[in-house]
Amino acid sequence: EHENPEEDEDIGQDEGDGLTWVERAKALAVEEATRLKLAVVDARWTRGKLLFKVEHENPEEFTVGIEECTMLSRALGLRLDTAEWMEDKAYNLVVSTAGTKELLTREREFLAFKGFPIMITTSAVFKKKTEFPGNLHDVSDEIVKVNQKGRIIDIPREIVLEVRLVQDQTKMNG
């Protein structure tokens, strides 16, 4: 019996010893992540994919990039490929960051997401607007620069309420 029956389809089948193969895979992921100074914040089985979301063990000071995800994916992939309880399992391994929860607040996040689609919301009307969609161009203590179709707009940092990553490009057309 699972404690959380609504999650049954996401965690794979019980292997008979009280641990599902997804739970076993997560345990391996945690071992490998710890070695790389990463923390596994989510693990699930969905649509043929074994998904792991990770962040740095010290997320206030360090962000996780593609390099770290690739290193964990390779190390974990090797261990999963040689685990006998995985022999009959077909899966795609996906290791990604836990993300920045969409809001950019730390300097490291601003640096990591330069060029990414964002929405800046201001506390006061600036250039007749309070929302500025575009790509993050640059940031300083005084200004957040957004690139709107090649035009750079400098928004004073003191009126910036939030800088949010935009996942879906269609949201920027409004």
Side-chain angles (χ1 to χ4, degrees), residues 131-164:
E131 288 195 330
F132 297 84
N135 290 336
L136 180 59
H137 183 73
D138 203 3
V139 68
S140 71
D141 290 339
E142 295 85 35
I143 289 173
V144 178
K145 295 180 181 223
V146 62
N147 181 338
Q148 288 185 329
K149 297 178 184 159
R151 231 174 91 238
I152 307 299
I153 297 171
D154 293 1
I155 302 170
R157 196 112 181 225
E158 70 259 11
I159 65 165
V160 172
L161 275 181
E162 66 178 30
V163 178
R164 180 177 298 275

Side-chain angles (χ1 to χ4, degrees), residues 32 44 47 58 81 119 131:
E32 290 299 324
R44 67 183 65 231
R47 296 189 194 116
N58 185 352
D81 288 347
M119 174 67 75
E131 288 195 330

